[in-house]
Coordinates of all heavy atoms in Angstrom, one line a residue:
N300 N 114.7 46.3 98.6 CA 114.6 45.5 97.4 C 115.9 44.7 97.1 O 115.8 43.6 96.7 CB 114.4 46.5 96.2 CG 113.0 47.0 96.2 OD1 112.1 46.4 96.8 ND2 112.7 48.2 95.6
E304 N 116.4 40.9 96.8 CA 116.8 40.3 95.5 C 118.1 39.4 95.7 O 118.3 38.4 95.0 CB 117.1 41.4 94.4 CG 116.8 40.8 93.1 CD 116.8 41.9 92.0 OE1 116.5 43.1 92.3 OE2 117.1 41.6 90.9
R350 N 125.0 45.8 88.0 CA 124.1 47.0 87.8 C 124.3 48.1 88.8 O 124.4 49.3 88.5 CB 122.6 46.5 87.9 CG 121.6 47.5 87.4 CD 120.3 46.9 87.2 NE 120.3 45.9 86.2 CZ 119.2 45.1 85.9 NH1 118.1 45.3 86.5 NH2 119.2 44.3 84.9
N417 N 119.1 46.0 79.5 CA 118.3 46.5 80.6 C 116.8 46.5 80.1 O 115.9 46.1 80.9 CB 118.7 47.8 81.0 CG 119.7 47.8 82.2 OD1 119.4 47.1 83.1 ND2 120.8 48.5 82.1
L418 N 116.6 47.0 78.9 CA 115.2 47.2 78.4 C 114.6 45.8 78.2 O 113.4 45.6 78.5 CB 115.2 48.0 77.1 CG 115.6 49.5 77.3 CD1 115.5 50.3 76.0 CD2 114.6 50.2 78.4
N421 N 113.7 44.2 81.4 CA 112.4 44.8 81.9 C 111.2 44.2 81.2 O 110.2 43.9 81.8 CB 112.4 46.3 81.8 CG 113.2 46.9 82.9 OD1 113.5 46.3 83.9 ND2 113.4 48.2 82.8
A422 N 111.3 44.1 79.8 CA 110.2 43.6 79.0 C 109.9 42.2 79.5 O 108.7 41.8 79.6 CB 110.6 43.6 77.6
V423 N 110.9 41.4 79.8 CA 110.6 40.0 80.3 C 110.0 40.1 81.7 O 109.0 39.4 82.0 CB 112.0 39.2 80.4 CG1 111.8 37.9 81.1 CG2 112.5 39.0 79.0
K424 N 110.6 40.9 82.6 CA 110.2 41.0 84.0 C 108.7 41.4 84.1 O 108.0 40.9 84.9 CB 111.1 42.0 84.7 CG 111.7 41.4 85.9 CD 112.6 42.3 86.7 CE 113.0 43.6 86.3 NZ 113.9 44.3 87.3
Y425 N 108.3 42.4 83.2 CA 107.0 43.0 83.4 C 106.0 42.5 82.4 O 105.0 43.2 82.1 CB 107.1 44.5 83.4 CG 108.0 45.0 84.5 CD1 109.3 45.6 84.3 CD2 107.6 44.9 85.9 CE1 110.1 46.0 85.3 CE2 108.5 45.3 86.9 CZ 109.7 45.8 86.6 OH 110.5 46.2 87.6
S426 N 106.2 41.3 81.9 CA 105.2 40.7 81.0 C 104.5 39.5 81.8 O 105.3 38.7 82.4 CB 105.8 40.1 79.7 OG 106.2 41.2 78.9
D449 N 106.8 45.4 74.4 CA 106.2 44.2 75.0 C 104.7 44.3 75.1 O 104.2 45.4 74.9 CB 106.9 44.0 76.3 CG 106.7 45.1 77.3 OD1 105.5 45.3 77.6 OD2 107.7 45.7 77.8
G451 N 103.3 43.6 78.0 CA 103.2 43.4 79.5 C 102.2 44.3 80.2 O 101.3 44.8 79.6
V452 N 102.5 44.6 81.5 CA 101.6 45.3 82.3 C 101.4 46.8 82.0 O 100.5 47.4 82.4 CB 102.0 45.1 83.8 CG1 101.8 43.7 84.3 CG2 103.4 45.6 84.1
G453 N 102.4 47.3 81.3 CA 102.4 48.7 81.0 C 102.6 49.6 82.2 O 102.7 49.2 83.4
I454 N 102.8 50.9 81.9 CA 103.1 51.9 83.0 C 102.0 53.0 83.0 O 101.7 53.6 81.9 CB 104.5 52.5 82.8 CG1 105.5 51.4 82.7 CG2 104.9 53.5 83.9 CD1 106.9 51.8 82.2
V462 N 109.7 56.9 86.1 CA 110.4 55.6 86.1 C 111.9 55.7 85.7 O 112.7 54.8 86.0 CB 109.8 54.5 85.1 CG1 108.5 54.0 85.7 CG2 109.6 55.1 83.7
F463 N 112.3 56.9 85.1 CA 113.7 57.1 84.8 C 114.5 57.7 85.9 O 115.7 57.8 85.9 CB 113.8 58.1 83.6 CG 113.2 57.4 82.3 CD1 111.9 57.7 81.9 CD2 114.0 56.6 81.6 CE1 111.4 57.1 80.7 CE2 113.5 56.0 80.4 CZ 112.2 56.2 80.0
E464 N 113.8 58.0 87.0 CA 114.5 58.6 88.2 C 115.1 57.4 89.0 O 114.6 56.3 89.0 CB 113.5 59.3 89.1 CG 113.1 60.6 88.7 CD 112.2 61.3 89.6 OE1 112.0 60.9 90.8 OE2 111.6 62.4 89.2
Y467 N 113.5 54.6 91.4 CA 112.1 54.7 91.3 C 111.5 53.4 90.8 O 112.0 52.9 89.8 CB 111.6 55.8 90.5 CG 110.1 56.0 90.5 CD1 109.5 56.8 91.6 CD2 109.2 55.4 89.6 CE1 108.2 56.9 91.7 CE2 107.9 55.5 89.8 CZ 107.3 56.2 90.8 OH 106.0 56.4 90.9
R468 N 110.5 52.8 91.5 CA 109.8 51.6 91.0 C 108.3 51.9 90.9 O 107.8 52.4 91.9 CB 110.1 50.4 91.9 CG 111.6 50.2 92.2 CD 111.8 48.7 92.6 NE 111.6 47.8 91.6 CZ 111.1 46.6 91.7 NH1 110.6 46.2 92.9 NH2 110.9 45.8 90.6
A469 N 107.8 51.8 89.7 CA 106.4 52.1 89.6 C 105.5 51.1 90.5 O 105.9 50.0 90.6 CB 105.9 52.0 88.1
S470 N 104.5 51.7 91.0 CA 103.7 50.8 91.9 C 102.3 50.7 91.5 O 101.6 49.7 91.8 CB 103.7 51.4 93.3 OG 103.3 52.8 93.3
N473 N 101.0 47.8 88.5 CA 102.2 47.3 88.0 C 102.7 46.1 88.8 O 102.3 45.9 89.9 CB 103.3 48.4 88.0 CG 104.3 48.2 87.0 OD1 104.9 47.2 86.9 ND2 104.5 49.2 86.2
L474 N 103.6 45.4 88.2 CA 104.1 44.2 88.9 C 105.2 44.5 89.9 O 105.7 43.6 90.6 CB 104.7 43.3 87.8 CG 103.8 42.4 87.0 CD1 104.7 41.5 86.1 CD2 103.0 41.5 87.9
A475 N 105.7 45.8 89.9 CA 106.9 46.1 90.6 C 107.0 45.5 92.0 O 108.0 45.2 92.5 CB 107.1 47.6 90.6
A478 N 107.7 41.8 91.1 CA 108.8 41.5 90.2 C 110.0 42.2 90.9 O 109.9 43.4 91.2 CB 108.5 42.1 88.9
K479 N 111.1 41.5 91.1 CA 112.2 42.1 91.8 C 112.9 43.1 91.0 O 113.0 43.0 89.8 CB 113.1 41.0 92.3 CG 112.5 40.1 93.4 CD 113.4 38.9 93.6 CE 112.5 37.8 94.2 NZ 112.7 36.5 93.6
G480 N 113.5 44.0 91.7 CA 114.3 45.0 90.9 C 114.9 46.1 91.9 O 114.6 46.1 93.1
T481 N 115.8 46.9 91.3 CA 116.5 47.9 92.2 C 116.0 49.3 91.9 O 116.3 50.2 92.6 CB 118.0 47.8 91.9 OG1 118.2 47.9 90.5 CG2 118.6 46.6 92.4
G482 N 115.3 49.4 90.7 CA 114.9 50.8 90.3 C 116.0 51.6 89.7 O 116.0 52.8 89.6
L483 N 117.0 50.8 89.2 CA 118.2 51.5 88.6 C 118.3 51.3 87.1 O 119.0 52.1 86.4 CB 119.5 51.0 89.3 CG 119.7 51.4 90.8 CD1 121.0 50.8 91.3 CD2 119.6 52.8 91.0
G484 N 117.6 50.2 86.6 CA 117.8 49.9 85.2 C 117.5 51.0 84.2 O 118.4 51.4 83.4
L485 N 116.4 51.7 84.4 CA 116.0 52.7 83.4 C 116.9 54.0 83.6 O 117.2 54.7 82.7 CB 114.6 53.1 83.5 CG 113.6 52.0 83.0 CD1 112.2 52.5 83.1 CD2 113.9 51.7 81.5
T486 N 117.4 54.2 84.9 CA 118.3 55.3 85.2 C 119.6 55.1 84.4 O 120.1 56.0 83.8 CB 118.6 55.4 86.7 OG1 117.4 55.3 87.4 CG2 119.2 56.7 87.0
I487 N 120.0 53.9 84.4 CA 121.3 53.5 83.7 C 121.1 53.7 82.2 O 121.9 54.4 81.6 CB 121.7 52.1 84.0 CG1 122.1 52.0 85.5 CG2 122.9 51.7 83.2 CD1 122.4 50.5 86.0
S503 N 103.3 53.9 76.6 CA 102.9 52.7 77.4 C 101.4 52.9 77.8 O 101.0 54.1 78.0 CB 103.7 52.5 78.6 OG 103.3 51.4 79.3
G508 N 100.8 47.1 77.4 CA 102.2 47.0 77.1 C 103.0 48.3 77.0 O 102.4 49.3 77.2
S509 N 104.3 48.2 76.8 CA 105.1 49.3 76.8 C 106.1 49.3 75.5 O 106.4 48.2 75.1 CB 106.0 49.4 78.0 OG 105.3 49.2 79.1
F511 N 109.7 51.1 74.5 CA 110.8 52.0 74.8 C 111.6 52.2 73.5 O 111.8 51.3 72.8 CB 111.7 51.4 75.9 CG 111.2 51.4 77.3 CD1 110.3 50.4 77.7 CD2 111.4 52.5 78.1 CE1 109.8 50.4 79.0 CE2 110.9 52.5 79.4 CZ 110.1 51.5 79.8
Ligands
LIG601 P1 113.5 47.9 88.2 O1 113.0 47.1 87.0 O2 114.7 47.3 88.8 O3 112.4 48.1 89.2 P2 113.9 50.0 86.4 O4 114.6 51.3 86.5 O5 114.4 49.1 85.3 O6 113.9 49.3 87.8 O7 112.4 50.3 86.1 C1 111.7 51.2 86.9 C2 110.3 50.9 86.9 O8 109.7 51.0 85.7 C3 110.0 49.4 87.3 O9 109.9 49.2 88.7 C4 108.7 49.1 86.6 O10 107.6 49.4 87.4 C5 108.7 50.1 85.4 N1 109.0 49.4 84.1 C6 110.2 49.4 83.5 N2 110.1 48.7 82.3 C7 108.9 48.3 82.2 C8 108.2 47.5 81.2 N3 108.7 47.1 80.1 N4 106.8 47.3 81.5 C9 106.2 47.7 82.6 N5 106.8 48.5 83.5 C10 108.1 48.7 83.4

Side-chain angles (χ1 to χ4, degrees):
N300 285 337
E304 209 169 332
R350 193 168 294 176
N417 265 312
L418 294 180
N421 280 350
V423 171
K424 232 178 0 179
Y425 300 109
S426 291
D449 61 59
V452 292
I454 304 167
V462 289
F463 293 97
E464 282 182 13
Y467 189 86
R468 308 201 71 219
S470 53
N473 206 306
L474 280 185
K479 288 169 201 133
T481 53
L483 294 179
L485 289 180
T486 316
I487 295 173
S503 184
S509 312
F511 285 87

